[in-house]
Amino acid sequence: MQPEITGMNRTIVIMLAGVVIILNAAFAAQPASQPAKIELQDDPPILARPKPGRITGQVTPAGKIKTLRAVSRITGQTYRPEQFDENTGRFSFQNMPGDSAYDICVVTTDGREFEGIDLEFISARLDRLAEMRRVELGVPSEKIEEQFSIEDVRAIQEFVASWQDFMDTKRILYIQCQGNRATVLIELMRTREFHKSRNQGQAQSQLVWRIELWYMQKQGGGWAKLPNVERLLRRERSQLDEWQKISVEYYPQLTARLDAAGGCEPINLKIPETPDPTRGRPANTEIDMLTKPNVLPPLEKTR
C-alpha cells in the first residue's frame, strides 16, 4: 500500500529534486580534475652552434696555379674560392661551416697536385668537446702520460709491413703521434695480378693504388689499427703507364681548421721546385720506393 503524499511532502520532494538538478548542472560545468600541467623545456646546449668562417691564404708562385679548391674529407664536399688573385696567389673561401677542417688542394699547370692532410686523430673533435665539458663541470683535464718514441715508430712500421690484405705493397708517408695514439697516412698498392686485372686485349695487367688515413692505438704494449674507421683519400685502378702520370704530395700546412667562432689561421704554401717522394707519389717513379715516414711532431720534441 503506497503511502499517501500530502501537500507538505509533495513540496519537500519537489525541492529535493530541484537541488539534485542544480548540483548535477554545477558538476557538469566543472572540468574533470587533472594534475598540474608541466611545461617541458630543452636543456640549454653546452656549446653554441658553430659560426661560419673565412679561409684565407696564399700559394706562390701564382703563375703555376691551374686550380684551387677546398675539400672536407668528412663530407666529401668541394668548395671553390670566392676570391682568387691570379697575380699574387691570394685566395679566400667565404661562409665555410665552422668547427671543421678543410684540405686545400692545388693543381699546377704542369699537372702536379698538392693537397692538405688533416692528421688529427679521428676523435679529436669529441676530445675537445669533452674537455670543454670538463671545464664547465670543474673536472680535472685528462692528461696523456705516455710519450712517443722511435720504438713506437718502428712498431707501427712493423705492424704495417705485416698487415695482410688485398694490397701487397705499403709505404708510410706520415705518422702523427699523440701519446698512445697515432694517425698514419699510408700508400697502398696491389701490383700482383688479380681477378679481372687484365682486360681482353690488354698487354699489361692493371694495378690498384690507394692513399688512406689509418688511426692506430697502443693497447697492451702493442700497436693496433682501429677497425672500420680508416679514411680513403684517393683510389686509382689503371695500367702502369697511366698510373705513373700521377703526381701528388700531401702537406699538413695546407689544412685549414675553423674553430667554433669561425676563426682560422691563414694558409701559405710556396710550391716546391722538385717533388718530395716522402710526402706522396711523384710522377714517373718506381713502384717500390724506400722512404722514411715524416713523424710529427719531431721525435726530439716528444721525448
Side-chain angles (χ1 to χ4, degrees), residues 12-160:
I12 294 173
V13 170
I14 293 173
M15 291 177 63
L16 289 176
V19 171
V20 171
I21 292 172
I22 293 172
L23 290 176
N24 286 338
F27 281 115
Q30 293 292 328
S33 178
Q34 295 181 354
K37 187 175 181 181
I38 300 175
E39 295 291 338
L40 298 179
Q41 296 181 349
D42 292 334
D43 292 335
I46 298 174
L47 300 174
R49 184 183 296 275
K51 296 181 179 179
R54 181 168 173 257
I55 299 174
T56 61
Q58 183 178 23
V59 178
T60 56
K64 290 187 176 182
I65 302 173
K66 182 179 179 180
T67 64
L68 187 146
R69 58 195 172 92
V71 176
S72 169
R73 303 291 188 185
I74 297 177
T75 66
Q77 188 167 351
T78 298
Y79 302 84
R80 301 294 178 181
E82 295 288 335
Q83 297 176 350
F84 176 72
D85 191 322
E86 295 181 353
N87 297 317
T88 64
R90 296 186 181 278
F91 61 85
S92 66
F93 296 84
Q94 308 289 341
N95 296 317
M96 304 290 284
D99 198 11
S100 300
Y102 302 91
D103 290 335
I104 307 300
C105 302
V106 180
V107 179
T108 64
T109 53
D110 57 358
R112 297 171 67 190
E113 298 180 58
F114 300 89
E115 297 190 2
I117 182 64
D118 182 8
L119 295 173
E120 281 196 329
F121 201 71
I122 193 169
S123 62
R125 185 171 183 272
L126 292 177
D127 293 340
R128 288 194 295 271
L129 294 175
E131 181 60 26
M132 293 178 184
R133 183 60 170 165
R134 290 190 189 97
V135 172
E136 183 184 48
L137 298 175
V139 177
S141 298
E142 192 174 73
K143 296 182 179 179
I144 299 175
E145 301 294 342
E146 296 191 42
Q147 295 295 311
F148 203 83
S149 68
I150 189 63
E151 287 75 20
D152 292 305
V153 173
R154 291 171 181 157
I156 290 175
Q157 289 176 304
E158 291 174 2
F159 178 91
V160 170

Side-chain angles (χ1 to χ4, degrees), residues 284-302:
N284 301 313
T285 50
E286 298 295 328
I287 291 175
D288 294 316
M289 286 197 305
L290 299 178
T291 59
K292 293 183 178 180
N294 296 285
V295 180
L296 302 175
L299 291 179
E300 291 77 10
K301 296 182 180 180
T302 59

Side-chain angles (χ1 to χ4, degrees), residues 267-279:
I267 301 296
N268 292 284
L269 175 72
K270 182 179 180 180
I271 297 173
E273 294 183 2
T274 58
D276 184 351
T278 71
R279 297 180 182 272

